Amino acid sequence: MGIVVQKYGGSSLSDADAIKRVARRITEAKKAGNDVVVAVSAMGDSTDELLDLADQVSPMPPARELDMLLTSGERISMALVAMAIADLGYTARSFTGSQAGVITDSMHGEAKIIDVTPGRITEAIGDGHIVIVAGFQGVSQDTKEITTLGRGGTDTTAVALAAALDADVCEIYTDVDGVFTADPRIVPSAKKLDTVTFEEMLELAANGAKVLHLRSVEYARRHFLPIHVRSSFSELKGTTVAGSIDDEARLEQERTMEAPIIAGVAHDRSEAKITVVGVPDKVGTAARIFEVLADAQINIDMIVQNVSAASTNKTDISFTLPGADGKKATSALEGIKAEIEYDSLTYDDKVGKVSLVGAGMRSHPGISAKVFKAVADAGVNIEMISTSEIRVSVVVSETEVDAAVAAVHTAFELDADQVEAVVYGGTGR
Ligand code: ADP
Ligand code: ASP
Ligand code: MG
């Protein structure tokens, strides 16, 4: 008898009927003779609704209380799913993240799982129960407080449970049939990938493909645990995330030109751009700017520094950061205005990032040029550029993100002949 670990996202648990449907799916796995452990997300958009509610009560809610509030969403799901399973004649036990042994650090809102001690889960399995775990949450080892893992974190709960329970694979059930060459919501001609390597999925997730939480991919890669992303609304086989771009078999495929060059196009509208205008061209200035940002715990993505104009000996430094950190960043920089003597700051949150990801870039020259040409031919202006070994990203105006994604997707011949991308549910919020 094997152990099956599944995750159902909020889009698969939108109402009572959806919960009953998911319960039937879960019991089928049990009926097939498996031990079954399931991580569930909050219903539909309820996490966003709780955040809206918190915002109405307080513009800056204490992080501890916000985590208390948000974890309630997953508790509602876990109990309802367990009830629906009981109604089908099976027994289920629901557990909060803390009860399930999900131990984290103490970073409210963005906690990292540092250990999983699944004693109560294995006990419940031993007693013949199906186990339902509230996703996206844990308990801090140091402070003993309840924490959340960051938006989309139930994927990471599921992967961590699968690793701790020694499952062969972690199944992520969502509202699309797998990982596609682009977000099916904006590119209906996107193709489903049968497999994608961990490195490519990491880049896609880090650059906005929210089908998997970035940390879940990191965790699975560390534990050599394949992830199977599939739809809870269909019986189709989904996408397997496994293997490395450096596996010998993969490298051989690349040598013989059989490997796909590109995995897909990701986009991210959540970034903002700050420009520090008129920075004196002096040793140590850039270091000071990014030091205060680091002290404020802000993750910087792309950085561009212009050459200084000879007449003024001043330059502009632009960078992108998560839009949610915009206020924190501008106030940190205002704090060193007198010290650095820059002229002014501009803040633009109407930007988006479009990224092409593919391991084949390592052996194919000209990929960046082709991306820039495709974007230009679509009449879209590129504001910033960055690359990694297997990624090319451009920052464009937010309103032009969809056009740029479609243009790059088409330029790399990723469009399917027949539409296969179905979005079964969810609002995409
Ligand atoms: P869940 O509620 O199941 O966690 P999410 O909304 O978090 O679902 O993730 C699924 C969504 O991810 C899809 O509906 C799709 O719009 C989006 N998405 C973005 N990029 C991709 C991609 N490359 N492949 C598939 N889905 C993607
Ligand atoms: N409910 C949480 C969120 O909306 C966690 C998740 O869905 O994975 O971010
Ligand atoms: Mg999700």
Side-chain angles (χ1 to χ4, degrees):
M1 199 153 78
I3 181 149
V4 168
V5 176
Q6 303 182 333
K7 176 255 172 174
Y8 292 90
S11 52
S12 300
L13 298 165
S14 52
D15 57 20
D17 282 340
I19 286 175
K20 289 191 207 168
R21 195 175 50 78
V22 163
R24 277 195 297 277
R25 240 188 140 126
I26 295 170
T27 56
E28 276 160 26
K30 178 75 178 168
K31 208 181 326 176
N34 302 292
D35 291 331
V36 184
V37 175
V38 180
V40 290
S41 292
M43 293 172 67
D45 289 334
S46 60
T47 305
D48 289 293
E49 286 152 16
L50 290 172
L51 279 168
D52 290 348
L53 196 57
D55 189 53
Q56 288 169 40
V57 172
S58 154
M60 291 274 269
R64 176 189 188 276
E65 304 310 328
L66 194 59
D67 274 358
M68 277 296 192
L69 178 71
L70 294 186
T71 51
S72 68
E74 270 69 13
R75 290 182 69 148
I76 292 173
S77 295
M78 74 178 193
L80 289 171
V81 171
M83 289 175 198
I85 290 174
D87 212 45
L88 295 171
Y90 292 79
T91 65
R93 288 281 178 275
S94 66
F95 295 101
T96 64
S98 167
Q99 289 178 315
V102 179
I103 316 288
T104 71
D105 63 16
S106 55
M107 189 72 180
H108 283 295
E110 203 59 55
K112 253 204 201 96
I113 297 179
I114 51 182
D115 197 10
V116 180
T117 51
R120 294 195 67 178
I121 298 183
T122 43
E123 207 177 299
I125 291 174
D127 292 340
H129 301 302
I130 294 172
V131 172
I132 313 294
V133 178
F136 170 62
Q137 55 184 276
V139 60
S140 160
Q141 191 168 47
D142 300 339
T143 62
K144 310 291 179 226
E145 299 290 2
I146 298 299
T147 54
T148 61
L149 309 178
R151 299 305 308 271
T154 304
D155 298 335
T156 304
T157 303
V159 168
L161 291 174
L165 296 166
D166 242 345
D168 292 334
V169 55
C170 179
E171 293 188 314
I172 303 281
Y173 285 92
T174 183
D175 61 357
V176 288
D177 284 315
V179 180
F180 283 75
T181 49
D183 185 344
R185 277 178 210 274
I186 65 168
V187 183
S189 58
K191 272 195 270 220
K192 187 175 80 187
L193 301 171
D194 290 331
T195 60
V196 61
T197 61
F198 281 123
E199 290 94 335
E200 288 167 308
M201 192 64 231
L202 280 173
E203 287 281 13
L204 289 169
N207 289 285
K210 70 165 185 158
V211 61
L212 283 178
H213 189 225
L214 176 60
R215 289 250 177 86
S216 73
V217 188
E218 289 170 350
Y219 208 102
R221 181 190 188 195
R222 238 185 355 262
H223 291 84
F224 304 102
L225 178 77
I227 301 177
H228 183 187
V229 182
R230 59 190 307 191
S231 169
S232 72
F233 298 80
S234 82
E235 295 294 330
L236 294 176
K237 191 170 162 297
T239 302
T240 301
V241 185
S244 162
I245 58 171
D246 291 323
D247 285 346
E248 201 35 58
R250 164 87 199 198
L251 292 173
E252 180 54 29
Q253 272 188 340
E254 278 187 32
R255 279 192 286 270
T256 54
M257 306 291 212
E258 279 162 18
I261 302 169
I262 300 300
V265 186
H267 71 279
D268 185 354
R269 289 180 225 274
S270 69
E271 295 214 337
K273 184 175 88 170
I274 290 180
T275 302
V276 192
V277 181
V279 181
D281 195 1
K282 275 199 304 226
V283 172
T285 315
R288 186 72 187 116
I289 288 174
F290 291 102
E291 194 174 52
V292 296
L293 294 168
D295 288 346
Q297 303 287 325
I298 295 165
N299 279 322
I300 304 302
D301 184 11
M302 297 187 198
I303 302 174
V304 173
Q305 174 172 343
N306 294 335
V307 269
S308 51
S311 55
T312 60
N313 207 28
K314 283 184 168 188
T315 183
D316 295 346
I317 297 180
S318 297
F319 58 88
T320 58
L321 72 167
D325 289 337
K327 273 194 210 128
K328 227 171 30 173
T330 44
S331 70
L333 291 172
E334 270 151 16
I336 54 166
K337 184 163 195 279
E339 175 192 340
I340 293 202
E341 299 179 321
Y342 64 80
D343 293 341
S344 60
L345 287 181
T346 64
Y347 179 72
D348 181 3
D349 62 1
K350 301 278 176 287
V351 293
K353 184 169 64 172
V354 176
S355 305
L356 182 76
V357 174
M361 279 180 203
R362 299 182 296 178
S363 48
H364 286 74
I367 302 281
S368 302
K370 194 162 160 181
V371 170
F372 306 153
K373 171 117 184 14
V375 174
D377 287 350
V380 175
N381 184 43
I382 296 175
E383 299 183 20
M384 289 167 107
I385 295 169
S386 83
T387 62
S388 80
E389 194 188 20
I390 60 166
R391 173 181 55 81
V392 180
S393 300
V394 296
V395 169
V396 300
S397 156
E398 191 177 69
T399 53
E400 295 181 320
V401 166
D402 290 11
V405 170
V408 174
H409 195 264
T410 301
F412 284 87
E413 294 169 25
L414 299 172
D415 296 301
D417 300 332
Q418 280 169 350
V419 173
E420 52 180 273
V422 184
V423 180
Y424 296 93
T427 59
R429 189 170 168 185

